Amino acid sequence: MAAATAAACTGGPERPPCQPPAAAGELGSICGFHGPEDLEYVRRAGLVVVSNLRLDGSVGEGGSFLAAFEPGEAPKVVRLWPGPAGTPAEPEPGLGDAACTTPPPAEGFSPHGLTSATLENDRVVLYVAGHASDGRSREAIEIFELRGRGTDSTLTWKACIPTADAI
């Protein structure tokens, strides 16, 4: 039974390159990701946030990043962090480890699992398991604040909780 199931799962044609949009009722792709790892729907922002994990050391457009899209007919993917304007940071005392005062370097950050929470003052924070893909960056739970709604939202690094090397 297990062999038959495995054979059924490995068969079929390879998926074509990402070419949106699919016709109504057809399976399609949401383009703009490079190794999507995890996703989280953040109701307050109206976004699905996606971690893009690259452990091969890729940087730039093919590297690791956090992105998002608004669910709908033709979703537009936007990069949240690191963003085109750099890596905004506003360290926040009392959030995370007091010794963690700077964001991870964009070129070594590899986001893995993520989850969100709404704090008592209606602030939305995103907790991201960050791996060190370059061997120099830290292993930590990175804490970001998500501001705004929809694809105009921004993500700002606030704090981190360092962890033991987990890879």
Side-chain angles (χ1 to χ4, degrees), residues 109-121:
F109 175 63
S110 291
H112 198 83
L114 54 92
T115 192
S116 65
T118 302
L119 303 180
E120 65 278 350
N121 52 3

Side-chain angles (χ1 to χ4, degrees), residues 15-167:
R15 287 198 61 169
C18 191
Q19 296 180 6
E26 291 183 2
L27 178 63
S29 297
I30 299 174
C31 300
F33 301 109
H34 304 281
E37 175 63 30
D38 198 7
L39 53 90
E40 171 84 354
Y41 178 64
V42 182
R43 182 179 307 274
R44 191 169 298 276
L47 287 175
V48 176
V49 179
V50 182
S51 61
N52 290 265
L53 176 68
R54 295 290 298 261
L55 293 177
D56 63 2
S58 298
V59 295
E61 287 301 310
S64 297
F65 56 92
L66 295 169
F69 65 91
E70 290 180 80
E73 290 271 332
K76 172 188 163 196
V77 174
V78 295
R79 184 178 281 219
L80 294 175
W81 198 91
T87 55
E90 297 172 2
E92 185 172 323
L95 187 62
D97 187 315
C100 187
T101 59
T102 59
E107 61 277 355
F109 175 63
S110 291
H112 198 83
L114 54 92
T115 192
S116 65
T118 302
L119 303 180
E120 65 278 350
N121 52 3
D122 285 338
R123 292 175 42 209
V124 175
V125 292
L126 192 66
Y127 299 92
V128 181
H131 293 297
S133 65
D134 62 359
R136 296 183 312 264
S137 300
R138 66 177 173 242
E139 295 279 329
I141 303 300
E142 303 292 345
I143 305 170
F144 297 88
E145 183 175 353
L146 182 62
R147 297 175 181 149
R149 184 154 180 81
T151 56
D152 292 329
S153 296
T154 60
L155 200 60
T156 302
W157 182 88
K158 301 301 268 181
C160 82
I161 303 167
T163 62
D165 288 347
I167 291 183

